[in-house]
């Protein structure tokens, strides 16, 4: 009888892992933008630059791929890891 509870412990661990993964996916999806939300976010993101056309082009491209635009007009890229980590062939940041 000492080993009778092991299948239940294993089942509990599997169920816990499944719930953890599910909640992580839901939390990540909560932070994702809808595709139609990209333009207003990018318009604000690029509002302080004097190079609006290239900024909007790359911001919209990055948003379409990442479904995320960092808050503010500069910086905060750590809030969108995909946006932050996408680089050009030269290793420079692709997203404004």
């Amino acid at each position: 009888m000492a080993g009778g509870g092991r299948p239940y412990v294993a089942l509990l661990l599997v169920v816990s892992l499944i719930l953890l993964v599910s909640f992580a996916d839901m939390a990540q999806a909560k932070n994702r933008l809808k595709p139609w939300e990209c333009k207003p976010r990018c318009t604000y993101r690029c509002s302080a630059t004097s190079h609006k056309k290239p900024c909007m082009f790359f911001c919209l491209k990055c948003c379409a791929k990442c479904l995320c635009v960092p808050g503010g007009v500069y910086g905060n890229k750590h809030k969108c890891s995909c946006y932050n980590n996408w680089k050009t062939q030269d290793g420079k940041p692709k997203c404004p």
Side-chain angles (χ1 to χ4, degrees):
M1 283 271 213
R6 285 190 180 157
Y8 295 113
V9 171
L11 179 63
L12 181 62
L13 287 173
V14 169
V15 169
S16 297
L17 182 62
I18 291 170
L19 287 173
L20 181 65
V21 169
S22 298
F23 286 130
D25 287 344
M26 286 191 305
Q28 194 173 26
K30 180 183 161 194
N31 293 331
R32 290 181 181 237
L33 296 175
K34 305 291 186 261
W36 60 86
E37 294 175 307
C38 287
K39 189 167 183 175
R41 297 279 182 111
C42 286
T43 299
Y44 178 70
R45 179 86 178 161
C46 296
S47 64
T49 184
S50 59
H51 307 288
K52 291 201 187 331
K53 282 187 180 184
C55 182
M56 282 296 291
F57 176 81
F58 286 108
C59 184
L60 290 170
K61 187 172 188 158
C62 293
C63 185
K65 178 181 177 183
C66 302
L67 294 177
C68 183
V69 175
V73 294
Y74 184 79
N76 299 319
K77 289 185 180 183
H78 62 280
K79 302 225 176 182
C80 298
S81 60
C82 169
Y83 194 97
N84 188 34
N85 297 333
W86 200 13
K87 306 289 185 203
T88 64
Q89 290 179 347
D90 299 332
K92 296 178 182 175
K94 189 171 200 103
C95 305

